[in-house]
């Protein structure tokens, strides 16, 4: 039987930004299939959502040519593994009032893999 402390420690490791940085980009590409209806990773290709090319390191609300919500423009987030992990967990809680109609990715491994994919896709 796992102690409560061990279970808590394990859950903290799973959700850590370090895990997000250690995600698998190939698996993240498969997770990205859920995002493709609204987003692209090609520079300048905005759909219902903005292009995610170069998202890692970019400030929120800054993809060229996309009409962001006032909430996203005012969010003052620099997208990195930690901020992307928080946003992808539950976008409406991370940036209240944003236009993204996606409930979030509850699985920490899916988020870590997606973040790894987005980081690699931004290096094209």
């Amino acid at each position: 039987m796992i102690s409560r402390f061990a279970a808590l420690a394990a859950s903290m490791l799973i959700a850590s930004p370090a895990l997000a940085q250690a995600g698998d980009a190939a698996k993240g590409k498969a997770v990205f299939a859920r995002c493709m209806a609204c987003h692209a990773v090609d520079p300048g290709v905005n759909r219902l959502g903005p292009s995610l090319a170069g998202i890692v390191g970019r400030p929120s609300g800054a993809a060229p040519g996309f009409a962001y919500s006032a909430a996203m423009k005012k969010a003052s987030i620099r997208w990195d593994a930690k901020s992307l992990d928080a946003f992808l967990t539950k976008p409406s809680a991370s940036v209240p009032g944003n236009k993204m109609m996606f409930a979030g990715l509850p699985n920490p491994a899916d988020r870590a893999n997606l973040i790894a994919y987005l980081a690699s896709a931004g290096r094209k």
Side-chain angles (χ1 to χ4, degrees):
M1 180 195 285
I2 298 175
S3 72
R4 285 185 186 173
F5 176 76
L8 177 61
S11 69
M12 289 171 64
L13 285 173
I14 289 170
S16 75
L19 177 64
Q21 293 171 353
D24 182 321
K27 290 179 182 176
K29 185 174 183 178
V31 176
F32 185 73
R34 302 179 207 176
C35 312
M36 289 176 61
C38 298
H39 295 282
V41 292
D42 301 312
V45 178
N46 295 320
R47 295 183 177 156
L48 187 57
S51 169
L52 299 179
I55 185 75
V56 176
R58 186 169 72 205
S60 59
F66 186 76
Y68 285 95
S69 65
M72 189 58 79
K73 288 179 187 177
K74 294 178 185 176
S76 297
I77 298 169
R78 171 106 15 216
W79 296 117
D80 61 14
K82 183 178 178 181
S83 59
L84 283 166
D85 185 62
F87 185 75
L88 293 169
T89 298
K90 189 171 184 182
S92 63
S94 180
V95 180
N98 81 76
K99 296 190 295 187
M100 191 157 138
M101 303 304 294
F102 180 68
L105 292 171
N107 183 320
D110 284 347
R111 293 193 307 272
N113 293 335
L114 178 58
I115 293 165
Y117 173 67
L118 292 174
S120 70
R123 289 189 225 140
K124 287 182 181 179

